Every structure is written in C-alpha cells, then in structure tokens.
Amino acid sequence: MTYVSCYYHYFSGMRKAETAANRICRVLKVNQENEKMMEDYENLASDLLAWINRWMPWLANRSTDDTLRQAQQKLEDYRNYRRSEKPPRIEDKGRLETLFNTLQTRLRLSNRPAFCPRDGHLVKDINAAWAGLEDSEKGFEEWLLSEIMRLERLEHLAEKFRRKCALHEEWAHGKEDALRSNDWRSCGLYKIKALRKRHEAFESDLGAHQDRVEQIAAIARELNNLRYPDIGPINARCQAICSQWDRLGQLSSKRRETLEDAERIAERLDSLYLDFAKRAAPFNNWLDGAREDLADLVIVHEMREIEELVSAHDQFKSTLGDADREFSSINQIEHEVEHLVTSHGLDRELLRNPYTDLSASDIRRKWGEVQSSVPRRDSQLQSELKRQQNNERLRTIFAEKANQVGPWLERELEQVLAIGLGGRGRLEDAIQQLRSIQRNVLGYKSNLDELERIHQEMQENFVFENRKSRYSMESLRVGWETLLTSINKTINEFENQVLLRDSKGISEEQIAEFRASFSHFDKERAGLDPEQLRACLISVGYTIRPGREGDAELHRVLAHVDPNRMGRVPFEAFLDFMTKENSDQDTVEQMIDSFRILASGKTFITAEELERELPRDQAAYCMARMAPSREPGAPPRSFDYVTFSRSLYSQ
C-alpha cells in the first residue's frame, strides 16, 4: 500500500509540473506577441506622424511670393501628393487603428494591462494630426489655382502696361525738344502763323493722348494693389511718363502763349493741313486703340465671358464702315494738298504738313494692320468659344459620372452601416459579406480614377464650378475614404468579436443582444460617453445604483473599458466587460503558483529547472527578463519568478 501511494503522488506531481509548464508557455507566448504588436504600433505611429509633420508646413504655406512657374510646379507637386503620397498613408492610418484595437482586445483577453502608447502616439493624437493635415489640405488646390490665375492676370496686365507705354513713348519721343524750340525767332510772318496752327494741332493730339496716360497710371495702380512681384520698373516707368506728361502740358501752354504773342496770324494757312491734322490725330488714336484691343489676349473662364467678347467684337466690326469713310476722307485731303502744290508749282517742301507729324502713309499702314487683325481676332474668339464649349462638355461628363458614383458610394456605405448595426446572422458570414463588399468597392476604383482624370482636365482648363451635379470631386474623395474606413473598421470589430466569442465562450445571440443595446444608445456612432454607458449597462441588467455608490461603480467600469481616457467606449470594450466576470482568465496568482510547481515549492527557480520544464525560446525569454534571486542560500543562476509574474500583470 505504501508503494502504491508513493507511485500515485509521483505521477500526480508530474502532471502538475506539466500543467504549470504549459500555462507558463502560453502566457509568455502571448506576452511576446503583444510586445511585438506594441513595437509595430510605435514604429508605424512614428512613421505616420513624421510624414504628416513633413507635409503640413508645405500645405499650410499660402504665401503669394511665388512666380507663375513656381506656382505651376507647386500645383504639380500637390497633385503628385494626392495621387501617390497620401493614399498609402490612408492605409497606414487604418492599419494603425486596427493594430491598436486588436492589441487592446488581446491584452484584455489575456488579463494584461491596457497598452498606453508613449506621449504623442495615442490614436487620438494620430487622428488629431491627421485632421490637422486635412485642414491644411482644404482649399489648397483651389487657392493655388486662383494664385496661378492671379499671376497670369498680373503678367497680362504688365504686358498691357508695356504695350501702352511703348505706344505713348513712341508718340512722345521728341515732343519736349520740339516744344522748347525757339525756331519761331528766325521765321517770317507766314512761318510764325504756320507754327501757331501746328501747335493747335499738337494740343488736339495731346488731349487725345490724355486717356492713354490715365490708362497707364490706372494699370500701374492695379499692379501695385495686386502685389506684382517686379513692381519697381513698372512704377519708375509710370512715374517717368506722368512727369513727362506734366512737362508736356506746361511746355505746350508756354509755347501757345509765345505764338499767340506773335503780331499777326498767317494769312496763307492752308485749311487742308489743319483739317488733315485735326481729323488724322483722333483717327490715329482710334487706330492705336483698335490695334491694341485686337492684340489683347483672350483670357476667359466661362461661356458668358467669351460671348461678351464676341458681342463686343461684332459691335466693333459694325463701326468699320464709318472708319473706312473717315480713312477715305483723310486720304482725299492728302490728294487735294498734293494736287494744289503740284498744280500751282509750289515748293515740294510744302507737301510736308506743318501741323502734325502724322502722315497719310502712317494712317494707311495702321489701317491696313487693323483690317488684317480683324480676321485673326475672329479666329481667336472662335477658338476660345470652342474651348469654352469643350469646358461645358467636361462639366456634363463629370456630372453624369459623379451622379452615378455618388449615390453608389452612399448605398454601399448604408449597406456597411446596416451590417455593422446587427441583424446579420453569424459573425463569420457578416465578415465574409463585408469582404465581398470590400472587393466590389476596390473593383469600383476605376470609376473614381476616371472622375479624377476628368476633374484634373477641368482644373487644367480652369473649370471651377459645375452646377450640373451636387457632387464635387472633394466630396467623392471623402465618400470613398469614408467607405473604405468603415469597411475596415467593421471587419476589425467583427474579427475582435469572434476572438471574444471563441475565447470567452459567449454565444452570438448574446453578442447580438449586447450590440442591439449598444447601438440604441450610440446615436452618433462614435462610441458611448459615460452617461450613455450608464444607461446601456442598466438596459442589459447590470446593476448601477443611484448616488455616489453608483458613480464609483461607473468609474470602476470606465477604468476597465476606457483605460486611455478617450472619452468614448467602443463596442469591443463594452462586450469584453460584459463577459469578463464569467470567463476563465489568467491571474497573477495562477502564474506564481505555476512557477512554484516547477520550482518544487521554492520561492526561486533555477536556470536548469526553466530549461528542463519550458521550451528553449520560452526559457531564454524568462531568464532575460527575470531578476536574480536574493533569497539566502539560492544557488547561482537562480531567478525571482514572483516579481517577474507580477510585472507581467502590472500597470
């Protein structure tokens, strides 16, 4: 009998040792996997934050000091960011949230303390940084395109300013010297009178150029107001022209007074010269304005603008008949002067008009330029009209496609949300259904890519508004990202529920019941706040008394379901809490008892015992993390398994 009893106790001890070793291996393996997931989370969070911090200053920079070429390059960089840089980071963000939720679930299931990332790496910190990135991104493309338009308009205005200045400077060349001339001192009576008449014609010409000088000054002011980068030469040239204009006015007045003091007015003034000068100067000014208008750049952004330009051009062409008659009259004056000089045998020098520097050849040349510019202007306007018609076509194509894609995204999101709210059958079936939806959604990506291509073509053609659809490209992008995020989040929730169900032994009917109660109070689909959690717990039969005792109990529950103090409780944490009390969990005491069995009741364990009872990698893991034993009489390579066990479950 004594022999049988000893034999029984021997094998009983072996079974206890084997059970203890298995428990330790299981706990250590879970701990190693959790540490690996924590390390992956920290690395992924650091990489994502570094990427966000690298792009945010660039997106937030809305300075207006760039040149047109720099602004166009910045637009290309932004489009590369939207196409290539950001999509992988969206996936990283979803993977980070999935990793965090899975890790927290695993820690709760293995009775470990919740994972608290280091400062700045919490999920809410990542979400806040991401929200800051998207805030910086909002309106960036529209601002940049507007900036390009502004810079193009500035270049257009600057070129217009230079053309007007060139025309004025061409006209004003030599005028000051002529007005300062004392030629009247050496002239006889006839030439004095001729000089006076010529000066009258000049003053008529001077008045005709007043409008151009005012236009030059107005354009310079507009360039200053619009912060044209190279404004220095513009202001200097404008100031020079205005100063010269003032001097011309003063010199003209002085010369008129001088000539008016002449004793007699020339009797033989040929009225034809004066008539020519008075008619040629305004007509020449009209020709210069017409040439300038016909050479003006055609920059429009919608049908209304090009239709206005076409209408204005048609109105201009309707005045060409009167202009042609005026041109014929001016030519006739020249023919009459030549006939008079020739028929009377006068000096050929008298063919030179004393009242103006304009010649009939100048008028003929400019008139020919106007006539040849009209067909070119017609062609430009018709080309721009076709471009605007193409823009309307792009608006229609985009609207037709967007009006299909937008409702499809909304329907798919509603289907995902409906599956997430319950009534879906088995969890595995729901996960399979969601993965099927996910494959369909990814297969639908080509439609969104097609819209992106059309949208980019519209942006390159400066098409900013589309009243044919209520869906913008930005709203479709947000809808697409929301749909993908919802699918991934719901799949992760169901996988965690499967993990809870399999580890805790809870039925799907109970999970469905808890989900229905949770969804009833989670109106905003953002998790339960403390008061909503209290109501939900009461609805499923959990006792929370009113008053301080109930508040203390609620705080205890919150410490379990919201250890990171996010302010919102997800369904996984709520479900874990509701099943926790009835589950078979590992505890600190179980861990210590298991090591005590392997150590044959000692308060320390030797390296030989660890290597004998545990797999090689698990034994090495323990020895690397256990502190040496300080027990009196403990042999070398003895370890404190009590402190090590408590550290596995400590906060």
Side-chain angles (χ1 to χ4, degrees):
M1 181 60 71
T2 301
Y3 175 80
V4 172
S5 176
C6 292
Y7 189 80
Y8 171 80
H9 286 293
Y10 173 77
F11 280 99
S12 176
M14 289 182 63
R15 285 196 300 271
K16 289 182 178 180
E18 182 180 358
T19 301
N22 289 336
R23 182 182 296 277
I24 291 171
C25 289
R26 176 164 54 86
V27 172
L28 294 179
K29 181 179 180 181
V30 169
N31 207 63
Q32 288 174 311
E33 291 173 351
N34 291 344
E35 288 180 353
K36 178 64 170 60
M37 292 180 72
M38 292 176 189
E39 182 181 354
D40 291 344
Y41 176 90
E42 292 288 349
N43 291 338
L44 186 57
S46 298
D47 183 60
L48 187 57
L49 285 172
W51 179 83
I52 291 173
N53 293 332
R54 185 172 73 252
W55 276 102
M56 276 188 63
W58 188 84
L59 290 171
N61 181 16
R62 304 292 171 91
S63 63
T64 58
D65 299 330
D66 292 336
T67 63
L68 178 60
R69 185 185 63 79
Q70 291 170 334
Q72 290 170 339
Q73 181 59 46
K74 186 177 289 187
L75 178 62
E76 182 63 26
D77 292 342
Y78 175 76
R79 285 172 175 162
N80 288 335
Y81 158 81
R82 288 293 311 184
R83 290 192 299 264
S84 305
E85 284 284 340
K86 188 177 180 185
R89 298 300 177 173
I90 294 174
E91 296 177 4
D92 288 347
K93 180 174 175 289
R95 190 163 64 253
L96 185 71
E97 293 175 353
T98 299
L99 182 61
F100 181 85
N101 292 334
T102 302
L103 177 59
Q104 298 294 43
T105 300
R106 290 174 60 91
L107 289 173
R108 286 195 299 270
L109 292 175
S110 58
N111 201 28
R112 301 306 194 274
F115 170 54
C116 294
R118 60 189 174 92
D119 289 343
H121 282 210
L122 293 172
V123 173
K124 66 178 182 181
D125 298 325
I126 302 297
N127 290 336
W130 188 268
L133 176 71
E134 293 189 331
D135 287 340
S136 299
E137 186 179 309
K138 287 179 180 176
F140 183 85
E141 187 176 23
E142 288 77 8
W143 165 81
L144 193 53
L145 289 168
S146 298
E147 183 65 12
I148 291 174
M149 289 178 59
R150 185 182 74 84
L151 292 173
E152 286 182 341
R153 172 166 172 74
L154 285 178
E155 289 298 330
H156 166 64
L157 285 175
E159 180 61 25
K160 188 174 183 179
F161 174 87
R162 287 188 282 270
R163 288 201 307 270
K164 285 185 175 293
C165 288
L167 286 172
H168 175 80
E169 289 163 353
E170 178 185 0
W171 171 85
H173 179 69
K175 292 292 189 296
E176 290 187 65
D177 293 337
L179 291 172
R180 290 190 177 96
S181 175
N182 290 324
D183 53 349
W184 55 273
R185 294 180 180 272
S186 60
C187 294
L189 181 61
Y190 174 78
K191 288 189 175 181
I192 291 175
K193 292 182 178 181
L195 289 175
R196 184 172 179 274
K197 292 298 182 181
R198 181 176 180 176
H199 187 68
E200 289 179 5
F202 168 77
E203 287 187 320
S204 176
D205 197 5
L206 186 68
H209 279 77
Q210 175 71 33
D211 183 62
R212 176 171 288 112
V213 174
E214 291 175 354
Q215 290 177 6
I216 290 172
I219 294 174
R221 284 194 300 273
E222 187 171 2
L223 288 171
N224 276 275
N225 293 335
L226 295 175
R227 305 185 306 282
Y228 182 68
D230 194 18
I231 196 62
I234 297 290
N235 288 334
R237 195 171 186 181
C238 178
Q239 182 60 44
I241 289 175
C242 292
S243 299
Q244 184 192 44
W245 183 257
D246 293 336
R247 292 195 302 273
L248 287 175
Q250 295 171 0
L251 291 172
S252 178
S253 299
K254 184 176 179 181
R255 184 170 179 83
R256 184 180 65 253
E257 293 171 359
T258 301
L259 294 176
E260 285 176 352
D261 290 340
E263 294 182 357
R264 296 171 55 188
I265 299 174
E267 296 177 351
R268 299 182 61 187
L269 176 65
D270 189 345
S271 61
L272 290 175
Y273 285 124
L274 182 58
D275 189 21
F276 178 90
K278 288 184 176 181
R279 298 182 71 170
F283 188 66
N284 178 72
N285 190 58
W286 178 87
L287 287 174
D288 288 340
R291 288 191 302 159
E292 183 179 352
D293 291 340
L294 291 171
D296 199 7
L297 295 177
V298 179
I299 300 178
V300 297
H301 300 97
E302 56 184 37
M303 285 293 296
R304 177 183 57 80
E305 295 176 346
I306 187 60
E307 288 171 351
E308 290 176 355
L309 286 180
V310 171
S311 175
H313 185 62
D314 291 340
Q315 185 177 0
F316 167 77
K317 289 192 293 185
S318 68
T319 65
L320 291 178
D322 293 337
D324 185 62
R325 287 187 288 274
E326 180 68 9
F327 172 74
S328 299
S329 299
I330 292 173
N331 265 340
Q332 183 62 32
I333 292 174
E334 183 198 27
H335 294 325
E336 290 183 19
V337 169
E338 186 173 1
H339 175 74
L340 183 62
V341 171
T342 303
S343 63
H344 290 82
L346 301 177
D347 191 341
R348 300 293 297 179
E349 181 65 21
L350 295 177
L351 290 174
R352 180 176 179 273
N353 194 314
Y355 308 133
T356 180
D357 289 331
L358 290 173
S359 66
S361 61
D362 293 332
I363 301 297
R364 284 192 294 272
R365 174 178 59 82
K366 293 180 180 181
W367 175 247
E369 290 177 2
V370 169
Q371 288 181 313
S372 62
S373 296
V374 170
R376 287 198 300 271
R377 185 67 171 181
D378 284 332
S379 177
Q380 289 175 352
L381 293 176
Q382 290 303 316
S383 176
E384 181 61 25
L385 181 61
K386 291 179 180 178
R387 191 178 77 86
Q388 291 301 322
Q389 289 170 343
N390 181 62
N391 289 347
E392 284 296 305
R393 181 186 63 82
L394 288 175
R395 290 188 180 97
T396 301
I397 294 174
F398 180 88
E400 291 175 352
K401 191 73 173 177
N403 290 338
Q404 294 175 359
V405 173
W408 184 87
L409 290 174
E410 292 169 355
R411 289 193 301 271
E412 292 299 308
L413 182 59
E414 289 175 359
Q415 185 178 0
V416 171
L417 293 176
I419 295 173
L421 290 176
R424 59 190 173 274
R426 296 177 62 250
L427 289 172
E428 288 81 357
D429 294 340
I431 293 173
Q432 187 64 30
Q433 187 178 0
L434 286 170
R435 293 199 183 280
S436 175
I437 294 174
Q438 186 180 48
R439 289 191 295 272
N440 292 337
V441 170
L442 294 177
Y444 200 75
K445 182 65 163 55
S446 60
N447 293 282
L448 204 70
D449 293 338
E450 176 67 13
L451 276 173
E452 288 281 8
R453 184 192 65 75
I454 299 171
H455 176 69
Q456 181 173 341
E457 186 177 354
M458 291 171 66
Q459 295 296 297
E460 290 171 352
N461 285 277
F462 300 104
V463 181
F464 302 122
E465 295 183 2
N466 192 354
R467 299 183 179 90
K468 298 178 183 294
S469 175
R470 65 185 181 90
Y471 298 101
S472 66
M473 194 64 242
E474 185 63 28
S475 67
L476 293 174
R477 289 173 186 151
V478 171
W480 176 263
E481 294 172 3
T482 301
L483 177 58
L484 287 180
T485 300
S486 298
I487 293 173
N488 291 330
K489 181 178 179 182
T490 308
I491 290 174
N492 178 249
E493 287 180 358
F494 288 168
E495 288 175 343
N496 287 337
Q497 290 175 26
V498 170
L499 189 61
L500 279 170
R501 181 199 66 191
D502 295 341
S503 63
K504 302 296 186 179
I506 186 173
S507 67
E508 291 199 14
E509 289 74 13
Q510 289 175 299
I511 293 177
E513 179 183 352
F514 291 143
R515 164 59 77 179
S517 298
F518 187 90
S519 299
H520 175 75
F521 293 98
D522 186 17
K523 303 298 185 184
E524 299 176 358
R525 302 293 179 260
L528 301 180
D529 61 26
E531 289 306 316
Q532 290 171 337
L533 177 63
R534 181 197 299 269
C536 186
L537 288 171
I538 293 172
S539 72
V540 296
Y542 189 86
T543 303
I544 296 183
R545 297 182 177 86
R548 293 184 178 180
E549 184 178 352
D551 292 340
E553 175 64 16
L554 181 62
H555 286 129
R556 186 188 71 81
V557 175
L558 285 171
H560 178 82
V561 298
D562 188 18
N564 291 316
R565 300 181 297 280
M566 302 291 290
R568 291 284 180 174
V569 178
F571 176 69
E572 293 83 357
F574 171 76
L575 180 60
D576 177 63
F577 175 76
M578 294 305 299
T579 58
K580 183 176 184 299
E581 298 299 328
N582 296 324
S583 61
D584 182 18
Q585 305 172 15
D586 297 315
T587 64
V588 176
E589 290 74 16
Q590 289 175 332
M591 194 68 172
I592 294 173
D593 289 341
S594 298
F595 275 112
R596 185 179 291 113
I597 293 172
L598 298 184
S600 300
K602 302 189 298 295
T603 58
F604 60 85
I605 190 168
T606 66
E608 291 76 9
E609 290 170 332
L610 288 171
E611 291 170 346
R612 182 179 68 246
E613 301 293 345
L614 299 178
R616 181 181 301 174
D617 59 334
Q618 301 288 9
Y621 177 81
C622 290
M623 289 186 289
R625 286 163 173 75
M626 284 183 177
S629 176
R630 297 183 180 180
E631 287 289 327
R637 298 185 70 202
S638 297
F639 300 97
D640 181 0
Y641 64 78
V642 175
T643 303
F644 171 71
S645 297
R646 289 174 177 165
S647 69
L648 293 177
Y649 294 87
S650 62
Q651 293 294 331

